[in-house]
Structure formats: structure tokens, C-alpha cells
Amino acid sequence: MHFLKRSITSLLVLLVICGVFSPRCFSICTVVAIGEDDWTEDVTAAFETAKKDNKDLLLLFTGSDWCPPCKKLEADVLSQAEFKIEITKHFVLVKLDFPRSTPQDETIAQQNKQWSEKFGVDAFPTIFLVDQTAKPYAIAGFEEGGFQNYLGMLEESRQLRINRDEKLKLAEKQTGLERAKLLDEALGEIREEIVSLYYPEIVAEIVELDKEDSLGLRTKWNSAEEAETRKVIMTDVMLISRLEKPQRAIEFIDEVLKEMEFPAQEKLEVLQIKLNLVRQLDDSAASDALLDEMIAMEGPTAETRERLLVKKIYLMIGSKRFDAAWALLEKSLQENGNSLHLLKAKGEILDSRNESTAAIEAYDVAIKAASNDPDILIELVSAKADAQFALKLESEALQTLDNFADDNKQPVDLRAEALLHKSLIMRETNRLRQARLAENRAIEISQSAQQRREIQKIVEKLRAKYGE
């Protein structure tokens, strides 16, 4: 134990006074000896001292003889004289040690086990800052920066408790929303996991006081519970959408949306399920209206809105409303600038109508816009190469793929994908030797054994398809 190294003479005197064979003296001797080093192992005595001296408690859970970060915390922070002088002005220091090779009194070991279970400690070192009622308000571990940094962090944490108590005292004189506001301010700066575990009664009161959510506190403090409820409801929505007839499932979803508020992303997921059901009813007007609702929602990103616009355009084309879909695409491009997803859709639509020259022009514009998005860029490059090949521009198609494959800035797996696409075009034109060279290069540039195996499997299937 640490105090043995620092005060062996004092300890020997204490042992003589108390009697080394006197079990009745053990606890007193331990407290006195450790007190000389500003630490105690007796939690009960520590709380009594804290109440008497009006201090908080610092509970250190440590593995003093085996845990490297515990030893570093001891050397860099806890053993520093200036640290102990400052920290003991406001805290009673309690060491709950879990040694592996150093002998430990069974009473202390059992006490430490009980406190570690009380706070759910499963890693060392862990420091709990608690008030005189054992209510935690901060947790810490080892932190670089020396004892001055650590002192500052602990003092900031103590201010959380001071703020908590001031706001709770003010809240005692208030009712209704004003009380809810003060209770929220009392807990607002304390870590969420501490609040959820050790302040559930205050959280419950805040939620009840602001049950209409006029201050947004019900949502703030009840978010975890409501998230679990939404998860259950989402499961019900998915099951009913599969088991019930579309119209009945749509009615159920409408009821859910009327009764339950969802965050934007979750609401989009629910509406997407509804959209799939509406499409089963072959109701184009309802599909358009639902997509318009999704596009107009507050919350989704600009990219999400663009994807929804593209979805609507494709659905319109699928229901043989090409002119209306094309008009919407052009209008959307004007309103959203050179949106990558809309540009990509323009090229694909032109391609699907065998307007390959116009498609290539659209792809070129999209490729410029996709310079920072490799995953979409490879799709565009591949689509452009296919459009060129459709126009019998074989050399141009291969060059398009080579340009991407030779670009060292692109991810290796995507460059390999371009080479395999090049191989496919070559095989279609009976240039088998050049195709194999492209395939071998795709394998060679791979950066990991797993990636090489995956590409090798694709190559083997490709060669088998062409009778090799």
C-alpha cells in the first residue's frame, strides 16, 4: 500500500500502540495511518468526515499493484504534494483498492467489492465524485496533462455539484414550469449516463411538470424511453405492412403518424413503407402526393431531398409519364443547380431511351460534379463507357475506364472495378488476351489478401462465363 512506502516509521509506531495482534484496533490503525497520507480506506468514516467538514468525496477505484494506468495516475497526479494540498480543501479522499498480489484485509476487500458493485465499476482507474449522501455527480479516469490539468478538471466537476444544489434549492420555492426549468438546469450539465442512473426521480418530475412539452423538456429527458417506444411501433409497422392488405396497412400507418411524433429520419422510414404500399395499389396520384410530402418535410438533408426527387421522377417514368417526369427533372435541375443525383438520373434516363450521345454529355457534367465522391464517380464512369460502347466507340469506352483505373487518388477497389469493366468490354469484342491482362492488373493492384481473393473469384466467374 502507498502509505507504507511514505510513512513506515509512523506505521510501526501505530502498530506498537495498537498491538499487531489486536483485531479491534485494525480499522482505527488503518484510518489513522492512511490519514497521514490524506487517503482513507474506510468509506463509512470518510462520509462522517465529509459531513463534519462539509466536503465532497473522491472515491478512487484502483488496482494499485497491477494496473498500468492506475500506477501512472498515482505517479503523475495523486502522489504530487501540491495536488493533495489543493484537492483536500474540498474532498475527502477514499481509496478502494483491488490488488492482485498485495495482501488486503478481508473487511476492506468486501467493502470495496460492495462499492464497486453499487457504482458498476468495471475498469480501473475510475474516480467517482459524490456528495455527502453518496449521490454521484461526475466520473473520471486517467487523463494526460499532469496534476494541474487534473485539478482543473476535478474543480470544474465540483462546480457542477454546486450549480446542481443552487438550482435545486431555488426549485424548492417554485411550482409548475418554472420548477421544471430549474430542475432541468440543475441536471443539465451532469453527464447523461449519471443522470439516468442516479437522478431518475428528478427526471420523472421534470417530464411530469412539462407533460405538454411546452419547454421541450419532456422530449429532452424522455427521449430514451420514447425512442424505445418508437422502435416497438416501427416493428409493428413493418410487420403489418407485410401481413395485412395494403389498404389496411396504410390506414394503420396513418393512425400511427397521427398519434406519434417521429424524428425526421424515422418518419421518412415510415413514409417509405407507406409509399411501397401505395405503389402496390397502382395509385400514381397518391404516390406523387406522398413523395411531395416527404420532399417538403423539415429535417432531411438536401441530398435526401434530391434522392426523393429522383425517386419520384423514376416512378413517373415507370407509370409511362415520361414528358411530365422529364419536365420535373429539368425544373429540379434549374432549382437545385448541378445536383449530382439529378445529373446522374438525367444521364440514366437518356441512356434508357437509347439517346446515348445526349447521355454521354449528361454523364460528363455529372462526372465533374462527382469528383469528390468516388462511389458515385465509378458508376458514372462505367455508365459513360457503356454509352460509348453502345455507339461503337470502343476505344473511347476503354479510355474512359483506363483514365479512372490509372488515377491513384481513387480507392483501389474501385480502380479494380473499372479494370474488370474494361475486361468485360474486351471479351465482348473477342480481345481475350487484353482482357486477361486487365483482369490480372485488377488482382495485382489489390492492397489486401482478402481483396485479392474477392477479385480472383470474380475473374474466375468471368472466365468461366466466356468458356475459359
Side-chain angles (χ1 to χ4, degrees), residues 158-197:
R158 191 177 73 90
Q159 290 300 319
L160 299 181
R161 196 270 303 156
I162 294 172
N163 176 71
R164 180 201 70 181
D165 292 351
E166 288 176 351
K167 298 298 183 181
L168 289 177
K169 188 173 182 179
L170 291 172
E172 292 175 0
K173 303 175 183 179
Q174 300 295 332
T175 59
L177 292 179
E178 188 58 34
R179 177 174 172 81
K181 183 179 178 181
L182 289 167
L183 292 176
D184 169 65
E185 292 174 0
L187 303 185
E189 295 179 332
I190 299 175
R191 283 166 55 171
E192 184 177 340
E193 61 268 32
I194 296 177
V195 172
S196 63
L197 286 172

Side-chain angles (χ1 to χ4, degrees), residues 21 31 80-81 126 193 228 241 246 255 335 360 389 400 420 448:
F21 299 109
V31 172
Q80 299 299 311
T126 295
E193 61 268 32
E228 189 62 32
S241 68
E255 292 172 7
E335 293 176 348
I360 291 169
F389 187 65
T400 295
L420 293 176
S448 68

Side-chain angles (χ1 to χ4, degrees), residues 376-411:
I376 293 183
L377 184 57
I378 184 60
E379 293 180 28
L380 293 166
V381 166
S382 298
K384 177 183 176 181
D386 287 339
Q388 289 171 321
F389 187 65
L391 290 173
K392 303 189 184 305
L393 300 173
E394 179 186 331
S395 296
E396 288 85 343
L398 296 176
Q399 187 61 56
T400 295
L401 294 165
D402 274 337
N403 289 342
F404 187 90
D406 293 340
D407 186 353
N408 292 328
K409 296 179 182 178
Q410 303 302 334

